[in-house]
């Protein structure tokens, strides 16, 4: 088990390094000279050269990448070109909002999705199973920005129950939670449908396996058979999907952050790309990559803990 | 005393092609402390019979008629909750495939302790019971192996664990569904010997399903021969094996590699195949493959008692020619 975790973690580091190198190259091949964009058309060549030097853009690309990594390890992601503030603290401010949002979204959708999936599997081919199937597919098919806009219109503007914009008072936890409801609802809704379908399918598969017949043949209580004997296995693919889903939620969060005017990583990246604010872009991208890799690695490790056969395969 | 009394049991499967009549008018009893073997080709209804007895038939199966009386209760009429008072208490079962019979993500100890959930004893007592049982079936070092998962055991070990679990609940009736089919010949002998030894200790009856005639002859007191969903012959093992009365039983024995004495290039077979159970032919179910067919075979034969301990379903017996 420990060996498996070490292998998974080293693989994770490797993925991060590879992804960042790739992104570095990609960002630098976007057309448009960042220095001209920032300084405007009337900048003198001397001014451009000095800014280039400050940003390290006069160095060859491999050297820039190497600098980036050595600094990143010590927690230094450079400084914002415009405000001169350290990128680490800019991102740090935004990160908690985004993490809170994706964590809230995936939590409620996973809990509800798993429950509905089990329910459908147990009530297979009944009316309630069929209704849930239609609902799930509709949830999956509805884009999150549509849900965002309509839930905003209905719950905030029409009913006035929930706040429309912002992330709430940073000192007031309750206020923050209230502000989290609509965005988390909007981007989590399609995941409810997705996870419910997935859990239903794997539950049905597991319930037809021989070991479940054994458990039932020993007269084990129904609840044990479903939750201890079947769900524990049926949940494995769902955990993998949730791990990958955290990454997709990062991009879904961009919509929600724009529609609900929430601060967050997604909004920061978009703003920084339009202004060619390279250090901030790179810092945010590095962080998104880390979140993605950490969540997939974590889901793999959880799977290995739940299924003793996985840890032995690698 | 009669432990299990199956009366006129018929089970159908609803399929897309039509109603498949998997079991038709099956009746037999199992007495106290007896080992009854069921033998027959694949598709003869052995598995459906077991599923009916433990009331875990597939969703598309319909128990169209009959009663299954276990210790005075008709299993057919019991609800899922009432059935739970029988399964794992009075009846337990060893399934065919040891590689898939245990839950892969729970330790063997956990699964062995879970099936004792009805006992009000302490966790330690249950653990001890599990260890004792593993020792009885010959698993070395049972204390430490209790915390291992099924995939860490070999096939033979897993089948022993399955036997340990089935016997741990001290059932009155143990159902063994081809428990040795997935194992090699050496293990088969060991498992059979273990089963007989433990049956003597626990004093239970066994319904033993197999298509291995040698094992049936070795282990069982009585044998039931099934063909295409019907019982064609039933009797004392010695009587049936030495003096088979039904042409199918005779053909089956003729094909048993263990009984063939002369060397030949081709192994004997029964010509033809099992009839389509969706569109049943009229008359005797075996007539298309029977070498002793006579004109009356187009009507259904009744079970005929040839001796106190043997009965068979064939017209030849009443015609006095066999």
């Amino acid at each position: 088990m420990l060996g498996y975790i070490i292998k998974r973690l080293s693989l994770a580091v490797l993925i991060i390094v590879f992804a960042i190198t790739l992104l570095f190259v990609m960002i630098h091949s976007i057309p448009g000279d960042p220095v001209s964009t920032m300084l405007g058309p009337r900048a003198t060549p001397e001014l451009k050269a000095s800014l280039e030097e400050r940003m390290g853009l006069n160095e060859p690309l491999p050297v820039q990448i190497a600098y980036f990594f050595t600094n990143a390890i010590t927690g230094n992601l450079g400084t914002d070109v415009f405000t001169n503030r350290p990128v680490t603290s800019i991102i740090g401010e935004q990160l908690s909002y985004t993490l809170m949002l994706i964590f809230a979204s995936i939590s409620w959708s996973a809990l509800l999705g798993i429950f509905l999936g089990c329910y459908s599997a147990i009530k297979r081919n009944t009316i309630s199973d069929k209704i849930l199937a239609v609902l799930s597919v509709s949830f999956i098919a509805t884009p999150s920005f549509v849900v965002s806009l309509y839930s905003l219109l209905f719950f905030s503007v029409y009913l006035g129950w929930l706040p429309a914009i912002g992330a709430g008072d940073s000192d007031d936890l309750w206020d923050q939670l209230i502000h989290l409801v609509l965005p988390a609802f909007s981007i989590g809704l399609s995941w409810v449908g997705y996870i419910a379908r997935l859990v239903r399918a794997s539950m049905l598969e597991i319930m037809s396996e021989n070991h479940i017949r054994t458990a039932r043949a020993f007269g084990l209580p129904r609840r044990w058979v479903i939750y201890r004997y079947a769900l524990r296995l049926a949940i494995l693919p769902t955990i993998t999907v949730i791990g990958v889903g955290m990454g997709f939620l990062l991009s879904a969060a961009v919509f929600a952050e724009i529609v609900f005017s929430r601060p967050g990583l997604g909004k920061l990246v978009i703003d920084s790309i339009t202004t060619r604010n390279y250090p901030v872009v790179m810092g945010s991208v590095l962080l998104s990559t880390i979140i993605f890799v950490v969540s997939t690695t974590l889901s793999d490790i959880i799977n290995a803990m739940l299924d003793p056969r996985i840890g032995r395969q690698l | 005393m009669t432990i299990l009394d199956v009366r006129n049991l018929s089970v159908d499967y609803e399929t897309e092609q039509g109603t498949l009549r998997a079991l038709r008018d099956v009746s037999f009893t199992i007495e106290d402390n007896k080992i009854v073997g069921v033998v027959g080709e694949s598709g003869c209804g052995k598995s459906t019979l077991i599923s009916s007895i433990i009331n875990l038939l597939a969703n598309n199966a319909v128990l169209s008629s009959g009663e299954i009386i276990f210790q005075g209760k008709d299993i057919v009429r019991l609800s899922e909750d009432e059935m739970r008072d029988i399964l794992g208490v009075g009846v337990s079962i060893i399934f065919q495939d040891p590689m898939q019979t245990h839950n892969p993500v729970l330790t063997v100890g956990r699964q062995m302790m879970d099936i004792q959930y009805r006992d009000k004893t302490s966790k330690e007592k249950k653990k001890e019971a599990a260890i004792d049982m593993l020792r009885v079936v010959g698993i070395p070092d049972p204390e430490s192996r209790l915390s291992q998962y099924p995939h860490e055991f070999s096939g033979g070990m897993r089948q022993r664990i399955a036997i340990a679990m089935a016997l741990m609940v001290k059932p009155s009736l143990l159902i063994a569904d081809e428990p040795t089919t997935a194992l090699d010949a050496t293990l088969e002998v060991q498992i059979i010997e273990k089963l007989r030894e433990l049956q003597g200790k626990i004093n239970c009856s066994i319904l033993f399903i197999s298509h291995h005639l040698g094992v049936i002859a070795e282990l069982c007191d009585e044998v039931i021969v099934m063909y295409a969903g019907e019982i064609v012959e039933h009797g004392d093992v010695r009587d049936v094996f030495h003096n088979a009365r039904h042409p199918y039983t005779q053909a089956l024995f003729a094909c048993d590699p263990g009984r063939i004495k002369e060397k030949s290039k081709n192994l004997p077979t029964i010509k033809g195949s099992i009839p389509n159970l969706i569109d049943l032919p009229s008359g005797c179910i075996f007539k298309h493959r029977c070498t002793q067919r006579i004109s009356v075979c187009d009507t259904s034969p009744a079970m005929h008692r040839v001796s106190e301990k043997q009965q068979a379903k064939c017209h030849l017996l009443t015609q006095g020619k066999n």
Side-chain angles (χ1 to χ4, degrees):
Chain A
M1 190 63 207
L2 194 69
Y4 177 80
I5 293 177
I6 290 168
K7 272 178 197 158
R8 271 322 265 113
L9 287 180
S10 24
L11 191 65
V13 172
L14 217 72
I15 293 170
I16 291 175
V17 170
F18 182 74
I20 293 303
T21 311
L22 200 69
L23 283 164
F24 217 95
V25 175
M26 280 165 71
I27 287 176
H28 279 260
S29 44
I30 295 175
D33 174 16
V35 180
S36 317
T37 317
M38 279 185 273
L39 294 177
R42 281 187 292 174
T44 61
E46 290 79 32
L47 209 59
K48 282 188 185 176
S50 87
L51 184 62
E52 257 185 7
E53 203 185 320
R54 243 180 66 206
M55 291 174 67
L57 291 172
N58 53 346
E59 305 278 359
L61 197 57
V63 179
Q64 290 185 38
I65 296 174
Y67 271 143
F68 179 78
F69 278 121
T70 41
N71 286 332
I73 289 168
T74 59
N76 174 13
L77 293 173
T79 50
D80 183 338
V81 183
F82 301 107
T83 61
N84 260 331
R85 292 179 55 206
V87 172
T88 322
S89 65
I90 295 179
I91 292 174
E93 286 163 16
Q94 309 294 317
L95 181 66
S96 60
Y97 292 111
T98 301
L99 279 185
M100 224 153 78
L101 178 59
I102 57 177
F103 195 70
S105 313
I106 205 73
S107 306
W108 88 267
S109 53
L111 284 178
L112 187 62
I114 290 168
F115 174 77
L116 291 179
C118 287
Y119 181 83
S120 297
I122 296 162
K123 303 264 170 189
R124 155 184 79 230
N125 294 337
T126 60
I127 289 290
S128 40
D129 175 32
K130 281 170 187 158
I131 292 173
L132 275 175
V134 173
L135 279 179
S136 303
V137 176
S138 326
F139 287 168
I140 298 169
T142 319
S144 63
F145 63 88
V146 174
V147 185
S148 307
L149 288 171
Y150 278 93
S151 59
L152 187 91
L153 275 175
F154 188 70
F155 291 107
S156 308
V157 179
Y158 180 69
L159 290 175
W161 287 354
L162 292 161
I165 58 165
D169 190 345
S170 55
D171 298 327
D172 186 351
L173 186 67
W174 176 246
D175 194 41
Q176 288 199 17
L177 287 178
I178 291 278
H179 279 83
L180 205 57
V181 172
L182 281 184
F185 171 76
S186 312
I187 59 180
L189 190 64
S190 62
W191 283 88
V192 175
Y194 190 39
I195 291 173
R197 293 270 83 196
L198 195 68
V199 169
R200 179 187 184 272
S202 41
M203 266 307 256
L204 285 181
E205 194 190 317
I206 300 292
M207 288 297 278
S208 69
E209 283 181 4
N210 286 351
H211 57 86
I212 295 297
R213 186 182 59 180
T214 309
R216 292 168 69 192
F218 276 102
L220 291 185
R222 193 180 159 80
R223 205 175 297 151
W224 287 20
V225 175
I226 292 167
Y227 293 105
R228 189 180 299 169
Y229 281 71
L231 184 59
R232 208 184 141 104
L233 269 163
I235 201 77
L236 300 175
T238 307
I239 290 173
T240 307
V241 165
I242 289 176
V244 179
M246 295 286 266
F248 287 111
L249 277 173
L250 274 174
S251 43
V254 179
F255 282 117
E257 281 163 6
I258 290 169
V259 172
F260 295 99
S261 301
R262 276 177 68 88
L265 214 53
K267 209 156 173 287
L268 184 68
V269 174
I270 296 222
D271 291 346
S272 317
I273 287 179
T274 44
T275 55
R276 300 288 194 283
N277 198 342
Y278 281 176
V280 179
V281 174
M282 277 316 295
S284 327
V285 167
L286 173 68
L287 219 77
S288 310
T289 314
I290 290 175
I291 292 175
F292 190 84
V293 172
V294 164
S295 66
T296 47
T297 306
L298 211 63
S299 69
D300 282 349
I301 291 174
I302 293 174
N303 267 353
M305 279 154 80
L306 285 177
D307 187 346
R309 292 170 299 178
I310 296 176
R312 293 166 62 97
Q313 277 163 13
L314 254 176
Chain B
M1 203 186 101
T2 304
I3 288 287
L4 183 77
D5 187 356
V6 178
R7 291 180 197 159
N8 309 103
L9 179 69
S10 295
V11 177
D12 301 335
Y13 288 105
E14 297 299 339
T15 69
E16 276 173 32
Q17 288 79 36
T19 305
L20 189 150
R21 307 197 53 210
L23 283 184
R24 296 177 310 281
D25 203 24
V26 167
S27 301
F28 65 94
T29 59
I30 297 179
E31 302 297 320
D32 242 358
N33 257 323
K34 285 274 190 269
I35 306 183
V36 177
V38 177
V39 68
E41 291 168 79
S42 304
C44 71
K46 291 175 294 191
S47 302
T48 305
L49 179 64
I50 296 169
S51 306
S52 314
I53 296 173
I54 59 174
N55 213 341
L56 287 178
L57 279 167
N59 289 322
N60 63 336
V62 183
L63 205 146
S64 54
S65 73
E67 294 168 325
I68 301 169
I69 314 286
F70 175 77
Q71 293 178 331
K73 284 185 201 148
D74 185 2
I75 281 174
V76 175
R77 278 170 235 290
L78 294 184
S79 70
E80 208 183 315
D81 281 329
E82 291 168 318
M83 203 55 214
R84 220 165 268 133
D85 296 333
I86 291 179
L87 291 176
V89 184
V91 178
S92 63
I93 179 162
I94 303 163
F95 286 106
Q96 185 173 359
D97 186 358
M99 304 309 273
Q100 287 167 17
T101 201
H102 300 108
N103 191 299
V105 295
L106 297 174
T107 62
V108 166
R110 179 62 182 267
Q111 297 181 56
M112 292 188 77
M113 281 160 77
D114 275 358
I115 61 169
Q116 302 178 66
Y117 76 98
R118 296 176 182 91
D119 300 343
K120 296 279 171 266
T121 51
S122 66
K123 224 177 142 185
E124 284 70 34
K125 280 268 163 59
K126 288 180 184 173
K127 202 173 165 187
E128 266 172 42
I131 290 171
D132 286 345
M133 210 59 226
L134 286 182
R135 191 174 288 124
V136 166
V137 295
I139 303 264
D141 194 16
E143 290 88 349
S144 61
R145 303 221 71 173
L146 220 49
S147 58
Q148 289 187 311
Y149 292 91
H151 69 268
E152 296 171 274
F153 292 84
S154 68
M157 292 270 211
R158 289 195 218 183
Q159 196 59 298
R160 284 161 199 254
I161 294 168
I163 292 173
M165 284 172 74
L167 291 174
M168 195 161 66
V169 300
K170 297 206 168 49
S172 332
L173 175 66
L174 173 71
I175 301 172
D177 181 8
E178 306 197 26
T180 56
T181 305
L183 306 175
D184 58 56
T186 346
L187 275 173
E188 182 166 38
V189 176
Q190 288 179 19
I191 296 276
I192 295 299
E193 277 170 4
K194 204 92 236 175
L195 257 182
R196 189 170 32 203
E197 176 195 327
L198 295 171
Q199 187 253 352
K201 273 189 195 160
I202 290 175
N203 289 327
C204 61
S205 305
I206 301 182
L207 181 62
F208 188 88
I209 315 289
S210 181
H211 49 238
H212 194 312
L213 293 167
V215 171
I216 299 260
E218 182 81 8
L219 181 73
C220 301
D221 302 307
E222 283 174 43
V223 61
I224 293 171
V225 182
M226 287 187 73
Y227 179 75
E230 289 177 14
I231 294 181
V232 293
E233 187 155 4
H234 178 188
D236 192 90
V237 160
R238 232 164 276 121
D239 296 345
V240 174
F241 272 69
H242 288 136
N243 187 15
R245 304 304 295 269
H246 195 282
Y248 175 67
T249 318
Q250 293 163 358
L252 200 62
F253 287 159
C255 298
D256 181 15
R259 292 177 154 231
I260 297 167
K261 303 211 167 57
E262 285 161 42
K263 263 191 185 173
S264 78
K265 267 192 173 167
N266 301 315
L267 288 171
T269 52
I270 306 177
K271 288 200 167 45
S273 55
I274 284 189
N276 183 359
L277 297 183
I278 290 172
D279 189 18
L280 275 179
S282 63
C284 174
I285 191 74
F286 188 58
K287 65 179 180 183
H288 302 286
R289 303 170 81 181
C290 188
T291 51
Q292 303 166 53
R293 182 174 172 179
I294 50 177
S295 58
V296 73
C297 293
D298 286 327
T299 60
S300 291
M303 195 54 108
H304 180 73
R305 190 165 283 281
V306 287
S307 73
E308 195 200 330
K309 286 180 178 170
Q310 190 178 3
Q311 46 187 340
K313 208 184 220 177
C314 180
H315 284 301
L316 292 168
L317 302 171
T318 45
Q319 306 274 320
K321 286 180 187 167
N322 194 1

